[in-house]
Amino acid sequence: MLIHLNDVLSCEEKTISRTIDLEMDSFDSDLGSFPFIRKEPVELTITNLGEEKLRIEAETAFTAAVPCDRCLEEVEISLELAISKEVDMKQTAEGRIEDLDETDFVIGYNLDVDKLVYSEILVNWPMKTLCREDCKGICRKCGTNLNHSSCSCDTVELDPRMAVIAEIFKNSN
């Protein structure tokens, strides 16, 4: 959702507060698409700091369905986001790129709330998701979820440097 910033820029020290529903229903990235099971509205506060500088503060929380990194069972992860950014509206898009300022959520005099939240989710996304600490994963050969049952596959893993010797023993039988 786009919020027009002209109103808050019209007067120094002016503050606007809004409650906004997120338009995105999932978090989509190179890692995959993760649907939101629950999402709270974004509590947004924009304050004019003077000299065409804004402080953007936002709070939201959501729960997403993410597959376990070991067994691929669905896990619910919850994130609570507290965002606080200062934006210099005098700076051009090219100037922001030069300063490595990643404020792609401000387009002209509009604030894209979904982009703001998306960038914070990206930064706070967990590196590894497990259904439980002692998750056994899935069998590499048959695909059985080892948390629910065991399989009779040979689980011996030889050192790859010893593969030639293993072949000799295999051929001699």
Side-chain angles (χ1 to χ4, degrees), residues 5-42:
L5 299 173
N6 290 334
D7 185 34
V8 73
L9 284 168
S10 65
C11 183
E12 283 190 22
E13 298 182 20
K14 184 169 186 174
T15 300
I16 60 169
S17 297
R18 302 243 169 92
T19 300
I20 300 162
D21 290 326
L22 272 178
E23 292 178 355
M24 61 180 168
D25 294 320
S26 64
F27 175 64
D28 302 320
S29 72
D30 291 341
L31 302 172
S33 180
F34 309 103
F36 292 148
I37 298 167
R38 178 191 60 83
K39 61 182 180 178
E40 292 181 10
V42 179

Side-chain angles (χ1 to χ4, degrees), residues 23-142:
E23 292 178 355
M24 61 180 168
D25 294 320
S26 64
F27 175 64
D28 302 320
S29 72
D30 291 341
L31 302 172
S33 180
F34 309 103
F36 292 148
I37 298 167
R38 178 191 60 83
K39 61 182 180 178
E40 292 181 10
V42 179
E43 298 295 330
L44 181 70
T45 304
I46 304 170
T47 306
N48 185 336
L49 300 174
E51 298 179 14
E52 293 191 53
K53 291 185 181 180
L54 299 176
R55 179 181 302 121
I56 300 170
E57 296 173 315
E59 289 185 9
T60 188
F62 68 91
T63 303
V66 180
C68 173
D69 286 335
R70 291 186 187 157
C71 69
L72 303 178
E73 282 192 20
E74 192 173 278
V75 179
E76 292 183 5
I77 63 157
S78 297
L79 283 178
E80 293 183 13
L81 302 176
I83 304 164
S84 182
K85 304 273 185 186
E86 284 193 19
V87 179
D88 186 354
M89 297 301 290
K90 290 185 288 189
Q91 196 169 29
T92 64
E94 294 82 23
R96 287 185 179 132
I97 291 170
E98 279 182 23
D99 292 344
L100 299 175
D101 186 7
E102 297 178 3
T103 55
D104 64 337
F105 49 85
V106 176
I107 305 151
Y109 286 97
N110 294 312
L111 168 68
D112 188 336
V113 178
D114 281 356
K115 276 189 175 182
L116 173 69
V117 171
Y118 180 88
S119 64
E120 285 298 312
I121 293 172
L122 196 58
V123 170
N124 290 292
W125 196 255
M127 295 294 286
K128 188 169 192 101
T129 304
L130 297 176
C131 60
R132 59 184 195 218
E133 284 295 317
D134 63 339
C135 178
K136 297 175 184 173
I138 56 175
C139 175
R140 294 181 184 194
K141 295 185 179 176
C142 68

